[in-house]
Amino acid sequence: MRIAIVGGGATGALAAAHLARRARESTEIIVVEPAERLGRGLAFSTDDPRHLLNVRASNMSAFGEDAEHFLNWLRGRNDGALAEPFSFVSRKVYGDYVSDVAAEALQSGRIKHLRDVCVGASEGPSFALLRLASGATLGADRVVLATGYDGKPTIAGVAAQQPWDPASLNGLSRDAPLLIVGAGLTMVDMALSLNRRGYQGVITAVSRRGLLPSAHRQVAPRVLAGGDTPFGAELSALLRWLRNFAGECAADGGDWRSAIDALRPHTQRLWRAMTPDQRQRFVRHARPYWDVHRHRMAPEVEKRVEALRRSGRLRVVAGRVLHATDLGDRVSATLRLRGSAEPTRIDVARVIDCTGMADAPSQSRNPLICSLLASGLARLDPLGIGLDVAQDFSLVDAKGAPSPRIKVVGPLARAAFWECIAIPDIRLQAQDLAERLIRAPELRPALIAAAE
């Protein structure tokens, strides 16, 4: 059997590593990724040491069955201070770790790295065929889509600079005001990068609710059994239950963090138990509050952010961007601030998009995603926030039929699983998918051939 994994960032590298641990000797695993090294992707390509993980080191092992794997890797690098379970290492260091995990599988011969870009796919009765930018084609018995999709190319009609791209900050005046759209962890990264470069201007961060991520604390852990979780309850009832559970955790010496962490193993099942209407209401109304409690800052990052706010160099406001105009030497943006009847205009040097992934794959500039949607091999999920994916990770086509050959993991599958962006969730998906694929029946060997 040949399995082709499209995308060699953290998601693709973890999928390959889990397959390498479980697959038969006869299984060929090929990762299609243009980058020289596997495992980094966008999130872990940063060189800024102030960009820290938002998950403690003890929960960042690539392998759920080997909880000490990451900590032992840190100890092997003589990073003793970082190997504490409650430490928060830099994303660069973690990128090195995932790259090493992939490199080990490469060196063993269990996986292969094909440096190319997948631009299209088709599916036949015997195998799937991937079209590559080089002009070659790659046949495979199974295909795993492990690529994210792009951020928004524009904000309110003007070109938006992308986070983590050094070019976004090049040539920026030391005192020039900036507008960042989004107030989550990506905005925090950008603010810290600007501060490290000596930037002294005012950053205005605008989001719907104006909420900053909460910070981690060392709290008493709490275990929540599946039978104690109200799967399928109405959102209002679920919220009441969660508040009561947080109160119980606080009474036992923890706080709301204990409750959220205990709920984490059950969030995908909670999401799947919701009706389409409940999911839509959650995304529209509850998502911002869930995100700031679920996706938290490291304590040391919190201190730096609070220092920026106290100095007046970081303003976080609730509202939205109505429109913006590029005036050449600056951008004029009009905001509708929450609670204000009149719009507010600000002039800034640049607009930086820190809202995360595009709201829907339909906005993607990824040629493979565009090709899948155009050909009918894929369709958007009913909420429009991801591809339609079945519970066994199968890509669902335009007619509603799950693909027998194309699987999806990571951010593209968030409509089906919701919690599938953080490493602890991705590794569980990678493990589950690997176990499913090795149980799949052997099919006719696929071929790799040059395009005509």
Side-chain angles (χ1 to χ4, degrees):
M1 177 187 290
R2 173 181 286 167
I3 301 173
I5 300 173
V6 180
T11 301
L14 290 182
H18 278 270
L19 279 166
R21 283 193 164 197
R22 293 167 172 80
R24 309 177 185 96
E25 289 293 331
S26 60
T27 301
E28 185 180 14
I29 304 165
I30 301 175
V31 182
V32 182
E33 166 58 45
E36 182 179 357
R37 294 184 67 188
L38 299 178
R40 289 201 170 274
L42 181 62
F44 304 119
S45 61
T46 176
D47 288 328
D48 193 328
R50 296 195 180 194
H51 292 171
L52 303 184
L53 296 176
N54 62 316
V55 178
R56 61 182 68 88
S58 60
N59 202 23
M60 289 298 287
S61 170
F63 307 103
E65 67 273 21
D66 187 358
E68 295 282 309
H69 192 271
F70 178 48
L71 292 173
N72 288 334
W73 178 88
L74 285 172
R75 293 171 186 133
R77 282 172 39 121
N78 296 319
D79 288 335
L82 296 178
E84 292 298 322
F86 193 70
S87 62
F88 294 82
V89 307
S90 74
R91 290 217 302 275
K92 179 185 183 303
V93 167
Y94 192 76
D96 292 341
Y97 166 67
V98 180
S99 289
D100 279 1
V101 169
E104 183 179 346
L106 283 167
Q107 291 164 5
S108 71
R110 299 296 292 131
I111 68 174
K112 299 176 182 178
H113 179 192
L114 179 58
R115 292 190 65 185
D116 212 326
V117 177
C118 183
V119 297
S122 58
E123 191 174 9
S126 300
F127 58 90
L129 194 65
L130 303 180
R131 291 187 290 108
L132 308 178
S134 65
T137 57
L138 175 64
D141 297 288
R142 298 288 189 274
V143 173
V144 178
L145 301 183
T147 178
Y149 45 91
D150 309 306
K152 304 175 185 67
T154 61
I155 293 288
V158 300
Q161 303 295 324
Q162 299 303 307
W164 301 314
D165 182 353
S168 296
L169 305 180
N170 287 346
L172 181 67
S173 170
R174 188 170 181 266
D175 300 313
L178 288 176
L179 174 63
I180 294 182
V181 183
L185 293 168
T186 305
M187 181 280 293
V188 168
D189 278 353
M190 291 303 297
L192 296 183
S193 288
L194 286 160
N195 188 54
R196 182 169 177 256
R197 292 166 67 117
Y199 174 78
Q200 295 294 313
V202 175
I203 303 168
T204 299
V206 59
S207 69
R208 279 198 301 160
R209 301 288 190 272
L211 301 172
L212 275 174
S214 300
H216 283 280
R217 298 285 186 269
Q218 284 190 283
V219 295
R222 180 72 177 260
V223 176
L224 179 66
D228 296 330
T229 307
F231 300 108
E234 278 294 328
L235 288 181
S236 56
L238 180 60
L239 179 59
R240 286 194 301 271
W241 170 84
L242 184 55
R243 285 174 173 164
N244 290 335
F245 181 46
E248 293 175 12
C249 291
D252 290 341
D255 66 9
W256 60 262
R257 295 170 182 83
S258 305
I260 295 295
D261 292 346
L263 188 63
R264 184 168 185 165
H266 308 291
T267 51
Q268 290 191 12
R269 185 179 169 190
L270 276 168
W271 176 257
R272 293 196 297 268
M274 291 183 187
T275 66
D277 178 66
Q278 288 173 328
R279 292 182 184 183
Q280 188 174 57
R281 285 189 285 121
F282 175 86
V283 170
R284 182 181 302 165
H285 302 294
R287 175 183 174 182
Y289 301 101
W290 170 256
D291 284 348
V292 298
H293 289 85
R294 166 66 178 79
H295 303 288
R296 292 170 236 152
M297 294 184 277
E300 51 266 53
V301 169
E302 178 191 32
K303 293 178 182 178
R304 296 184 185 122
V305 171
E306 286 305 313
L308 288 173
R309 296 187 76 183
R310 286 194 302 270
S311 70
R313 291 166 50 205
L314 174 62
R315 298 173 54 239
V316 181
V317 299
R320 59 191 178 94
V321 183
L322 295 178
H323 55 80
T325 304
D326 189 342
L327 300 177
D329 62 336
R330 66 190 188 282
V331 174
S332 179
T334 301
L335 312 181
R336 172 76 71 187
L337 300 182
R338 182 175 291 273
S340 175
E342 296 296 325
T344 299
R345 174 182 161 180
I346 61 172
D347 287 348
V348 296
R350 292 178 190 172
V351 178
I352 302 178
D353 172 27
C354 290
T355 56
M357 297 180 298
D359 290 332
S362 58
Q363 300 179 23
S364 175
R365 292 170 291 177
N366 184 318
L368 174 60
I369 304 304
C370 295
S371 171
L372 290 170
L373 291 171
S375 67
L377 280 179
R379 70 180 185 183
L380 299 180
D381 80 284
L383 293 179
I385 62 173
L387 296 180
D388 198 355
V389 177
Q391 297 305 309
D392 66 350
F393 304 103
S394 296
L395 182 66
V396 176
D397 68 16
K399 297 180 180 179
S403 169
R405 299 185 181 276
I406 303 178
K407 309 296 180 180
V408 186
V409 292
L412 282 175
R414 65 174 175 164
F417 303 103
W418 187 249
E419 292 288 320
C420 58
I421 296 177
I423 291 295
D425 304 306
I426 291 173
R427 76 178 176 212
L428 290 177
Q429 282 198 337
Q431 177 179 330
D432 188 1
L433 179 61
E435 291 172 350
R436 289 173 184 270
L437 289 179
I438 63 171
R439 293 196 301 266
E442 290 276 5
L443 300 177
R444 184 174 71 85
L447 302 174
I448 185 168
E452 297 181 359

